């Protein structure tokens, strides 16, 4: 059987990941395979399960990386979770949540799509929504997971995936036997959902975004919040806007800078601004834990 170059490339990425499986990208992470259905057929997603360390059924978070992927791509810690993901992994595990970290890129032969124009990307939010639906099915079969207490959490492109994965207007979402009980989106791209007259959320939603974000502008998320608040058929929504905060404000120790290699944003071709805001980051961690506790923890 002759394999195409693209298929061989994907196999190569998966083999490379398997070779490094003895050193997980984060402490306590166990590699698992989620079989998703993309536009080009079945895709094995080599993802990571981090147990809360409890034997009884526990609430679980599905975590969704942004356009830059889940891992560091350079330096001595290459291949490990980025600082943002590592910090959130520790926060959630210490709070008693299982976490399933979905890697939507490696199985599709990608490391990052940040430098690709949005309309030319071959990994879409719809593809990643399919990943989430398969992950929900996978979690439902885990004896340590309380299927009634699952949350979605994503950043940027992953945040947009969160919005798509709770869209009551999508048949795959509305008919799925497992529904998330909560959803958190860090600086998602809200524009298509704000413009969709039929968009409604099946789960309570918390959005966290910087007021100065010039990559995924907050105005569309403000409009989306207003629309969902006015809809009697939508679950509750809350939006927190952080002053003097840019895209990726929750990333630890990331100097504020302009990324000229990103062709998207509110000024295409001029780059986008990214960087940490320690005060906003600390507040979002408190907000995330308070939100999850309210929506997922039992009285």
């Amino acid at each position: 059987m002759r394999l195409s170059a693209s298929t061989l490339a994907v196999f190569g990425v998966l083999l490379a990941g398997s070779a490094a499986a003895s050193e997980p990208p984060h402490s306590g992470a166990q590699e698992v395979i989620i079989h998703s259905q993309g536009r080009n057929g079945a895709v094995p997603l080599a993802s990571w399960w981090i147990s809360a360390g409890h034997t009884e059924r526990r609430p679980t978070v599905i975590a969704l990386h942004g356009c830059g992927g889940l891992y560091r791509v350079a330096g001595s810690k290459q291949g490990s979770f980025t600082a943002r993901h590592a910090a959130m992994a520790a926060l959630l595990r210490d709070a008693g949540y299982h976490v399933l970290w979905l890697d939507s890129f490696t199985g599709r032969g990608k490391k990052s799509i940040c430098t690709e124009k949005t309309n030319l990307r071959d990994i879409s939010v719809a593809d990643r929504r399919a990943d989430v639906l398969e992950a929900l099915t996978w979690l439902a079969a885990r004896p340590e997971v309380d299927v009634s207490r699952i949350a979605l959490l994503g950043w940027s492109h992953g945040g947009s995936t969160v919005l798509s994965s709770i869209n009551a207007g999508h048949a795959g979402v509305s008919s799925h036997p497992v529904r998330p009980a909560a959803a958190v989106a860090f600086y998602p791209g809200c524009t298509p959902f704000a413009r969709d007259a039929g968009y409604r959320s099946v789960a309570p939603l918390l959005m966290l975004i910087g007021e100065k974000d010039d990559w995924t502008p907050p105005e569309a998320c403000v409009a989306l919040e207003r629309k969902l608040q006015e809809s009697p058929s939508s679950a509750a929504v809350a939006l927190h806007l952080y002053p003097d905060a840019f895209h990726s404000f929750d990333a630890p120790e990331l100097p504020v800078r302009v990324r000229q290699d990103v062709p998207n944003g509110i000024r295409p071709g001029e780059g986008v601004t990214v960087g940490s805001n320690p005060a906003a980051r600390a507040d979002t961690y408190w907000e995330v834990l308070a939100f999850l506790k309210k929506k997922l923890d039992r009285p």
Side-chain angles (χ1 to χ4, degrees), residues 9-46:
V10 170
F11 281 171
V13 171
L14 291 174
L15 288 172
S18 298
S22 59
E23 297 182 8
H26 188 79
S27 175
Q30 173 191 358
E31 187 176 26
V32 297
I33 303 296
I34 306 295
H35 294 280
S36 184
Q37 290 291 329
R39 288 170 292 177
N40 298 317
V43 181
L45 307 179

PDB file of all heavy atoms in Angstrom, residues 9-46:
ATOM      1  N   ALA A   9       3.523  12.209   6.799  1.00  0.00           N
ATOM      2  CA  ALA A   9       3.909  13.297   7.700  1.00  0.00           C
ATOM      3  C   ALA A   9       3.198  13.174   9.034  1.00  0.00           C
ATOM      4  O   ALA A   9       3.792  13.356  10.100  1.00  0.00           O
ATOM      5  CB  ALA A   9       3.583  14.647   7.060  1.00  0.00           C
ATOM      6  N   VAL A  10       1.897  12.844   8.983  1.00  0.00           N
ATOM      7  CA  VAL A  10       1.143  12.688  10.224  1.00  0.00           C
ATOM      8  C   VAL A  10       1.673  11.510  11.022  1.00  0.00           C
ATOM      9  O   VAL A  10       1.867  11.583  12.234  1.00  0.00           O
ATOM     10  CB  VAL A  10      -0.360  12.500   9.923  1.00  0.00           C
ATOM     11  CG1 VAL A  10      -1.119  12.098  11.186  1.00  0.00           C
ATOM     12  CG2 VAL A  10      -0.940  13.774   9.352  1.00  0.00           C
ATOM     13  N   PHE A  11       1.951  10.366  10.327  1.00  0.00           N
ATOM     14  CA  PHE A  11       2.519   9.214  11.026  1.00  0.00           C
ATOM     15  C   PHE A  11       3.843   9.568  11.671  1.00  0.00           C
ATOM     16  O   PHE A  11       4.150   9.144  12.775  1.00  0.00           O
ATOM     17  CB  PHE A  11       2.724   8.052  10.046  1.00  0.00           C
ATOM     18  CG  PHE A  11       1.455   7.280   9.744  1.00  0.00           C
ATOM     19  CD1 PHE A  11       1.430   6.339   8.749  1.00  0.00           C
ATOM     20  CD2 PHE A  11       0.293   7.529  10.467  1.00  0.00           C
ATOM     21  CE1 PHE A  11       0.278   5.621   8.472  1.00  0.00           C
ATOM     22  CE2 PHE A  11      -0.870   6.822  10.197  1.00  0.00           C
ATOM     23  CZ  PHE A  11      -0.877   5.868   9.193  1.00  0.00           C
ATOM     24  N   GLY A  12       4.640  10.378  10.972  1.00  0.00           N
ATOM     25  CA  GLY A  12       5.932  10.768  11.520  1.00  0.00           C
ATOM     26  C   GLY A  12       5.785  11.562  12.793  1.00  0.00           C
ATOM     27  O   GLY A  12       6.516  11.367  13.759  1.00  0.00           O
ATOM     28  N   VAL A  13       4.803  12.479  12.806  1.00  0.00           N
ATOM     29  CA  VAL A  13       4.557  13.272  14.011  1.00  0.00           C
ATOM     30  C   VAL A  13       4.116  12.383  15.159  1.00  0.00           C
ATOM     31  O   VAL A  13       4.565  12.512  16.292  1.00  0.00           O
ATOM     32  CB  VAL A  13       3.481  14.347  13.728  1.00  0.00           C
ATOM     33  CG1 VAL A  13       3.047  15.028  15.012  1.00  0.00           C
ATOM     34  CG2 VAL A  13       4.021  15.374  12.747  1.00  0.00           C
ATOM     35  N   LEU A  14       3.223  11.415  14.862  1.00  0.00           N
ATOM     36  CA  LEU A  14       2.733  10.538  15.916  1.00  0.00           C
ATOM     37  C   LEU A  14       3.834   9.639  16.456  1.00  0.00           C
ATOM     38  O   LEU A  14       3.942   9.400  17.658  1.00  0.00           O
ATOM     39  CB  LEU A  14       1.585   9.671  15.382  1.00  0.00           C
ATOM     40  CG  LEU A  14       0.287  10.422  15.070  1.00  0.00           C
ATOM     41  CD1 LEU A  14      -0.717   9.484  14.411  1.00  0.00           C
ATOM     42  CD2 LEU A  14      -0.302  11.009  16.339  1.00  0.00           C
ATOM     43  N   LEU A  15       4.707   9.139  15.573  1.00  0.00           N
ATOM     44  CA  LEU A  15       5.815   8.300  16.022  1.00  0.00           C
ATOM     45  C   LEU A  15       6.773   9.088  16.883  1.00  0.00           C
ATOM     46  O   LEU A  15       7.295   8.593  17.888  1.00  0.00           O
ATOM     47  CB  LEU A  15       6.542   7.707  14.811  1.00  0.00           C
ATOM     48  CG  LEU A  15       5.776   6.608  14.057  1.00  0.00           C
ATOM     49  CD1 LEU A  15       6.513   6.251  12.774  1.00  0.00           C
ATOM     50  CD2 LEU A  15       5.602   5.369  14.936  1.00  0.00           C
ATOM     51  N   ALA A  16       7.024  10.325  16.499  1.00  0.00           N
ATOM     52  CA  ALA A  16       7.916  11.168  17.294  1.00  0.00           C
ATOM     53  C   ALA A  16       7.333  11.388  18.679  1.00  0.00           C
ATOM     54  O   ALA A  16       8.041  11.364  19.687  1.00  0.00           O
ATOM     55  CB  ALA A  16       8.134  12.519  16.598  1.00  0.00           C
ATOM     56  N   GLY A  17       6.007  11.576  18.744  1.00  0.00           N
ATOM     57  CA  GLY A  17       5.369  11.748  20.033  1.00  0.00           C
ATOM     58  C   GLY A  17       5.442  10.492  20.866  1.00  0.00           C
ATOM     59  O   GLY A  17       5.657  10.542  22.077  1.00  0.00           O
ATOM     60  N   SER A  18       5.299   9.309  20.209  1.00  0.00           N
ATOM     61  CA  SER A  18       5.373   8.057  20.936  1.00  0.00           C
ATOM     62  C   SER A  18       6.759   7.826  21.494  1.00  0.00           C
ATOM     63  O   SER A  18       6.933   7.286  22.582  1.00  0.00           O
ATOM     64  CB  SER A  18       4.985   6.891  20.010  1.00  0.00           C
ATOM     65  OG  SER A  18       3.653   7.051  19.575  1.00  0.00           O
ATOM     66  N   ALA A  19       7.784   8.235  20.736  1.00  0.00           N
ATOM     67  CA  ALA A  19       9.148   8.043  21.192  1.00  0.00           C
ATOM     68  C   ALA A  19       9.429   8.827  22.452  1.00  0.00           C
ATOM     69  O   ALA A  19      10.262   8.449  23.285  1.00  0.00           O
ATOM     70  CB  ALA A  19      10.122   8.471  20.095  1.00  0.00           C
ATOM     71  N   ALA A  20       8.715   9.949  22.605  1.00  0.00           N
ATOM     72  CA  ALA A  20       8.935  10.794  23.776  1.00  0.00           C
ATOM     73  C   ALA A  20       7.935  10.518  24.886  1.00  0.00           C
ATOM     74  O   ALA A  20       7.884  11.224  25.887  1.00  0.00           O
ATOM     75  CB  ALA A  20       8.850  12.263  23.374  1.00  0.00           C
ATOM     76  N   ALA A  21       7.114   9.434  24.708  1.00  0.00           N
ATOM     77  CA  ALA A  21       6.040   9.179  25.648  1.00  0.00           C
ATOM     78  C   ALA A  21       6.552   8.869  27.040  1.00  0.00           C
ATOM     79  O   ALA A  21       5.825   9.004  28.020  1.00  0.00           O
ATOM     80  CB  ALA A  21       5.169   8.029  25.136  1.00  0.00           C
ATOM     81  N   SER A  22       7.816   8.396  27.163  1.00  0.00           N
ATOM     82  CA  SER A  22       8.369   8.088  28.477  1.00  0.00           C
ATOM     83  C   SER A  22       8.573   9.347  29.301  1.00  0.00           C
ATOM     84  O   SER A  22       8.749   9.275  30.510  1.00  0.00           O
ATOM     85  CB  SER A  22       9.696   7.343  28.327  1.00  0.00           C
ATOM     86  OG  SER A  22      10.623   8.132  27.594  1.00  0.00           O
ATOM     87  N   GLU A  23       8.586  10.503  28.663  1.00  0.00           N
ATOM     88  CA  GLU A  23       8.713  11.773  29.360  1.00  0.00           C
ATOM     89  C   GLU A  23       7.479  12.620  29.045  1.00  0.00           C
ATOM     90  O   GLU A  23       7.455  13.361  28.071  1.00  0.00           O
ATOM     91  CB  GLU A  23       9.985  12.502  28.926  1.00  0.00           C
ATOM     92  CG  GLU A  23      11.272  11.750  29.282  1.00  0.00           C
ATOM     93  CD  GLU A  23      12.509  12.527  28.886  1.00  0.00           C
ATOM     94  OE1 GLU A  23      12.354  13.702  28.484  1.00  0.00           O
ATOM     95  OE2 GLU A  23      13.603  11.962  28.965  1.00  0.00           O
ATOM     96  N   PRO A  24       6.443  12.498  29.858  1.00  0.00           N
ATOM     97  CA  PRO A  24       5.220  13.253  29.579  1.00  0.00           C
ATOM     98  C   PRO A  24       5.475  14.746  29.620  1.00  0.00           C
ATOM     99  O   PRO A  24       6.400  15.212  30.289  1.00  0.00           O
ATOM    100  CB  PRO A  24       4.265  12.810  30.700  1.00  0.00           C
ATOM    101  CG  PRO A  24       5.146  12.313  31.785  1.00  0.00           C
ATOM    102  CD  PRO A  24       6.339  11.709  31.102  1.00  0.00           C
ATOM    103  N   PRO A  25       4.650  15.529  28.939  1.00  0.00           N
ATOM    104  CA  PRO A  25       4.880  16.977  28.855  1.00  0.00           C
ATOM    105  C   PRO A  25       4.559  17.726  30.140  1.00  0.00           C
ATOM    106  O   PRO A  25       4.872  18.906  30.255  1.00  0.00           O
ATOM    107  CB  PRO A  25       3.959  17.403  27.719  1.00  0.00           C
ATOM    108  CG  PRO A  25       2.864  16.395  27.744  1.00  0.00           C
ATOM    109  CD  PRO A  25       3.515  15.099  28.119  1.00  0.00           C
ATOM    110  N   HIS A  26       3.924  17.031  31.077  1.00  0.00           N
ATOM    111  CA  HIS A  26       3.615  17.660  32.365  1.00  0.00           C
ATOM    112  C   HIS A  26       3.560  16.569  33.424  1.00  0.00           C
ATOM    113  O   HIS A  26       3.187  15.419  33.142  1.00  0.00           O
ATOM    114  CB  HIS A  26       2.275  18.399  32.306  1.00  0.00           C
ATOM    115  CG  HIS A  26       1.982  19.218  33.531  1.00  0.00           C
ATOM    116  ND1 HIS A  26       2.559  20.452  33.729  1.00  0.00           N
ATOM    117  CD2 HIS A  26       1.207  18.972  34.619  1.00  0.00           C
ATOM    118  CE1 HIS A  26       2.132  20.941  34.892  1.00  0.00           C
ATOM    119  NE2 HIS A  26       1.322  20.057  35.443  1.00  0.00           N
ATOM    120  N   SER A  27       3.939  16.910  34.630  1.00  0.00           N
ATOM    121  CA  SER A  27       3.962  15.944  35.716  1.00  0.00           C
ATOM    122  C   SER A  27       2.598  15.275  35.907  1.00  0.00           C
ATOM    123  O   SER A  27       1.578  15.949  36.018  1.00  0.00           O
ATOM    124  CB  SER A  27       4.364  16.648  37.014  1.00  0.00           C
ATOM    125  OG  SER A  27       4.296  15.763  38.110  1.00  0.00           O
ATOM    126  N   GLY A  28       2.603  13.953  35.909  1.00  0.00           N
ATOM    127  CA  GLY A  28       1.381  13.198  36.123  1.00  0.00           C
ATOM    128  C   GLY A  28       0.519  13.006  34.903  1.00  0.00           C
ATOM    129  O   GLY A  28      -0.545  12.381  34.988  1.00  0.00           O
ATOM    130  N   ALA A  29       0.951  13.515  33.737  1.00  0.00           N
ATOM    131  CA  ALA A  29       0.146  13.390  32.519  1.00  0.00           C
ATOM    132  C   ALA A  29       0.278  11.995  31.920  1.00  0.00           C
ATOM    133  O   ALA A  29       1.379  11.460  31.792  1.00  0.00           O
ATOM    134  CB  ALA A  29       0.568  14.438  31.495  1.00  0.00           C
ATOM    135  N   GLN A  30      -0.848  11.422  31.548  1.00  0.00           N
ATOM    136  CA  GLN A  30      -0.893  10.104  30.913  1.00  0.00           C
ATOM    137  C   GLN A  30      -1.408  10.261  29.484  1.00  0.00           C
ATOM    138  O   GLN A  30      -2.471  10.850  29.265  1.00  0.00           O
ATOM    139  CB  GLN A  30      -1.815   9.163  31.702  1.00  0.00           C
ATOM    140  CG  GLN A  30      -2.063   7.824  31.031  1.00  0.00           C
ATOM    141  CD  GLN A  30      -3.171   7.030  31.704  1.00  0.00           C
ATOM    142  OE1 GLN A  30      -3.748   7.461  32.704  1.00  0.00           O
ATOM    143  NE2 GLN A  30      -3.495   5.885  31.152  1.00  0.00           N
ATOM    144  N   GLU A  31      -0.681   9.737  28.514  1.00  0.00           N
ATOM    145  CA  GLU A  31      -1.101   9.866  27.119  1.00  0.00           C
ATOM    146  C   GLU A  31      -2.326   9.000  26.840  1.00  0.00           C
ATOM    147  O   GLU A  31      -2.384   7.829  27.233  1.00  0.00           O
ATOM    148  CB  GLU A  31       0.024   9.478  26.165  1.00  0.00           C
ATOM    149  CG  GLU A  31      -0.304   9.758  24.703  1.00  0.00           C
ATOM    150  CD  GLU A  31       0.854   9.466  23.765  1.00  0.00           C
ATOM    151  OE1 GLU A  31       1.701   8.624  24.124  1.00  0.00           O
ATOM    152  OE2 GLU A  31       0.898  10.082  22.691  1.00  0.00           O
ATOM    153  N   VAL A  32      -3.306   9.582  26.169  1.00  0.00           N
ATOM    154  CA  VAL A  32      -4.513   8.875  25.752  1.00  0.00           C
ATOM    155  C   VAL A  32      -4.807   9.262  24.303  1.00  0.00           C
ATOM    156  O   VAL A  32      -4.378  10.315  23.836  1.00  0.00           O
ATOM    157  CB  VAL A  32      -5.721   9.212  26.658  1.00  0.00           C
ATOM    158  CG1 VAL A  32      -5.472   8.769  28.089  1.00  0.00           C
ATOM    159  CG2 VAL A  32      -6.049  10.703  26.611  1.00  0.00           C
ATOM    160  N   ILE A  33      -5.537   8.415  23.623  1.00  0.00           N
ATOM    161  CA  ILE A  33      -5.888   8.679  22.229  1.00  0.00           C
ATOM    162  C   ILE A  33      -7.389   8.918  22.122  1.00  0.00           C
ATOM    163  O   ILE A  33      -8.197   8.094  22.550  1.00  0.00           O
ATOM    164  CB  ILE A  33      -5.490   7.512  21.304  1.00  0.00           C
ATOM    165  CG1 ILE A  33      -3.998   7.216  21.424  1.00  0.00           C
ATOM    166  CG2 ILE A  33      -5.860   7.835  19.853  1.00  0.00           C
ATOM    167  CD1 ILE A  33      -3.099   8.343  20.974  1.00  0.00           C
ATOM    168  N   ILE A  34      -7.748  10.073  21.577  1.00  0.00           N
ATOM    169  CA  ILE A  34      -9.145  10.388  21.287  1.00  0.00           C
ATOM    170  C   ILE A  34      -9.312  10.313  19.771  1.00  0.00           C
ATOM    171  O   ILE A  34      -8.618  11.007  19.030  1.00  0.00           O
ATOM    172  CB  ILE A  34      -9.522  11.803  21.777  1.00  0.00           C
ATOM    173  CG1 ILE A  34      -9.180  11.977  23.258  1.00  0.00           C
ATOM    174  CG2 ILE A  34     -10.997  12.076  21.502  1.00  0.00           C
ATOM    175  CD1 ILE A  34      -9.957  11.097  24.200  1.00  0.00           C
ATOM    176  N   HIS A  35     -10.216   9.469  19.305  1.00  0.00           N
ATOM    177  CA  HIS A  35     -10.434   9.308  17.862  1.00  0.00           C
ATOM    178  C   HIS A  35     -11.529  10.274  17.414  1.00  0.00           C
ATOM    179  O   HIS A  35     -12.700  10.107  17.746  1.00  0.00           O
ATOM    180  CB  HIS A  35     -10.807   7.863  17.541  1.00  0.00           C
ATOM    181  CG  HIS A  35      -9.710   6.888  17.815  1.00  0.00           C
ATOM    182  ND1 HIS A  35      -8.652   6.687  16.941  1.00  0.00           N
ATOM    183  CD2 HIS A  35      -9.467   6.098  18.882  1.00  0.00           C
ATOM    184  CE1 HIS A  35      -7.830   5.790  17.455  1.00  0.00           C
ATOM    185  NE2 HIS A  35      -8.289   5.415  18.629  1.00  0.00           N
ATOM    186  N   SER A  36     -11.106  11.292  16.673  1.00  0.00           N
ATOM    187  CA  SER A  36     -12.032  12.316  16.223  1.00  0.00           C
ATOM    188  C   SER A  36     -12.355  12.140  14.745  1.00  0.00           C
ATOM    189  O   SER A  36     -11.668  11.413  14.026  1.00  0.00           O
ATOM    190  CB  SER A  36     -11.433  13.701  16.471  1.00  0.00           C
ATOM    191  OG  SER A  36     -12.352  14.724  16.119  1.00  0.00           O
ATOM    192  N   GLN A  37     -13.384  12.839  14.297  1.00  0.00           N
ATOM    193  CA  GLN A  37     -13.775  12.821  12.900  1.00  0.00           C
ATOM    194  C   GLN A  37     -13.625  14.224  12.326  1.00  0.00           C
ATOM    195  O   GLN A  37     -14.347  15.138  12.717  1.00  0.00           O
ATOM    196  CB  GLN A  37     -15.226  12.345  12.739  1.00  0.00           C
ATOM    197  CG  GLN A  37     -15.440  10.880  13.035  1.00  0.00           C
ATOM    198  CD  GLN A  37     -14.797   9.978  11.998  1.00  0.00           C
ATOM    199  OE1 GLN A  37     -14.679  10.331  10.822  1.00  0.00           O
ATOM    200  NE2 GLN A  37     -14.381   8.798  12.427  1.00  0.00           N
ATOM    201  N   GLY A  38     -12.659  14.403  11.436  1.00  0.00           N
ATOM    202  CA  GLY A  38     -12.465  15.686  10.783  1.00  0.00           C
ATOM    203  C   GLY A  38     -13.022  15.682   9.378  1.00  0.00           C
ATOM    204  O   GLY A  38     -13.616  14.702   8.927  1.00  0.00           O
ATOM    205  N   ARG A  39     -12.795  16.775   8.665  1.00  0.00           N
ATOM    206  CA  ARG A  39     -13.286  16.874   7.285  1.00  0.00           C
ATOM    207  C   ARG A  39     -12.610  15.881   6.363  1.00  0.00           C
ATOM    208  O   ARG A  39     -13.159  15.491   5.332  1.00  0.00           O
ATOM    209  CB  ARG A  39     -13.041  18.297   6.772  1.00  0.00           C
ATOM    210  CG  ARG A  39     -13.935  19.342   7.379  1.00  0.00           C
ATOM    211  CD  ARG A  39     -13.485  20.730   7.022  1.00  0.00           C
ATOM    212  NE  ARG A  39     -12.208  21.068   7.658  1.00  0.00           N
ATOM    213  CZ  ARG A  39     -11.557  22.206   7.462  1.00  0.00           C
ATOM    214  NH1 ARG A  39     -12.059  23.112   6.636  1.00  0.00           N
ATOM    215  NH2 ARG A  39     -10.421  22.445   8.085  1.00  0.00           N
ATOM    216  N   ASN A  40     -11.403  15.421   6.759  1.00  0.00           N
ATOM    217  CA  ASN A  40     -10.654  14.486   5.916  1.00  0.00           C
ATOM    218  C   ASN A  40     -10.620  13.076   6.494  1.00  0.00           C
ATOM    219  O   ASN A  40      -9.751  12.283   6.172  1.00  0.00           O
ATOM    220  CB  ASN A  40      -9.213  15.002   5.749  1.00  0.00           C
ATOM    221  CG  ASN A  40      -9.168  16.346   5.054  1.00  0.00           C
ATOM    222  OD1 ASN A  40      -9.871  16.564   4.081  1.00  0.00           O
ATOM    223  ND2 ASN A  40      -8.352  17.264   5.574  1.00  0.00           N
ATOM    224  N   GLY A  41     -11.596  12.762   7.349  1.00  0.00           N
ATOM    225  CA  GLY A  41     -11.683  11.419   7.899  1.00  0.00           C
ATOM    226  C   GLY A  41     -11.261  11.352   9.351  1.00  0.00           C
ATOM    227  O   GLY A  41     -11.086  12.370  10.018  1.00  0.00           O
ATOM    228  N   ALA A  42     -11.090  10.127   9.843  1.00  0.00           N
ATOM    229  CA  ALA A  42     -10.761   9.907  11.245  1.00  0.00           C
ATOM    230  C   ALA A  42      -9.367  10.438  11.569  1.00  0.00           C
ATOM    231  O   ALA A  42      -8.436  10.323  10.773  1.00  0.00           O
ATOM    232  CB  ALA A  42     -10.847   8.425  11.572  1.00  0.00           C
ATOM    233  N   VAL A  43      -9.232  11.020  12.754  1.00  0.00           N
ATOM    234  CA  VAL A  43      -7.962  11.583  13.208  1.00  0.00           C
ATOM    235  C   VAL A  43      -7.695  11.102  14.631  1.00  0.00           C
ATOM    236  O   VAL A  43      -8.508  11.332  15.527  1.00  0.00           O
ATOM    237  CB  VAL A  43      -7.992  13.125  13.201  1.00  0.00           C
ATOM    238  CG1 VAL A  43      -6.641  13.679  13.658  1.00  0.00           C
ATOM    239  CG2 VAL A  43      -8.338  13.658  11.825  1.00  0.00           C
ATOM    240  N   PRO A  44      -6.546  10.419  14.866  1.00  0.00           N
ATOM    241  CA  PRO A  44      -6.198  10.041  16.239  1.00  0.00           C
ATOM    242  C   PRO A  44      -5.510  11.205  16.943  1.00  0.00           C
ATOM    243  O   PRO A  44      -4.470  11.682  16.509  1.00  0.00           O
ATOM    244  CB  PRO A  44      -5.237   8.859  16.043  1.00  0.00           C
ATOM    245  CG  PRO A  44      -4.595   9.116  14.717  1.00  0.00           C
ATOM    246  CD  PRO A  44      -5.587   9.883  13.874  1.00  0.00           C
ATOM    247  N   LEU A  45      -6.102  11.678  18.010  1.00  0.00           N
ATOM    248  CA  LEU A  45      -5.549  12.802  18.759  1.00  0.00           C
ATOM    249  C   LEU A  45      -4.806  12.272  19.982  1.00  0.00           C
ATOM    250  O   LEU A  45      -5.418  11.764  20.927  1.00  0.00           O
ATOM    251  CB  LEU A  45      -6.662  13.754  19.203  1.00  0.00           C
ATOM    252  CG  LEU A  45      -7.604  14.272  18.119  1.00  0.00           C
ATOM    253  CD1 LEU A  45      -8.661  15.179  18.750  1.00  0.00           C
ATOM    254  CD2 LEU A  45      -6.845  15.004  17.027  1.00  0.00           C
ATOM    255  N   ALA A  46      -3.483  12.399  19.963  1.00  0.00           N
ATOM    256  CA  ALA A  46      -2.677  11.989  21.106  1.00  0.00           C
ATOM    257  C   ALA A  46      -2.764  13.080  22.164  1.00  0.00           C
ATOM    258  O   ALA A  46      -2.124  14.127  22.057  1.00  0.00           O
ATOM    259  CB  ALA A  46      -1.224  11.763  20.675  1.00  0.00           C
TER     260      ALA A  46
END
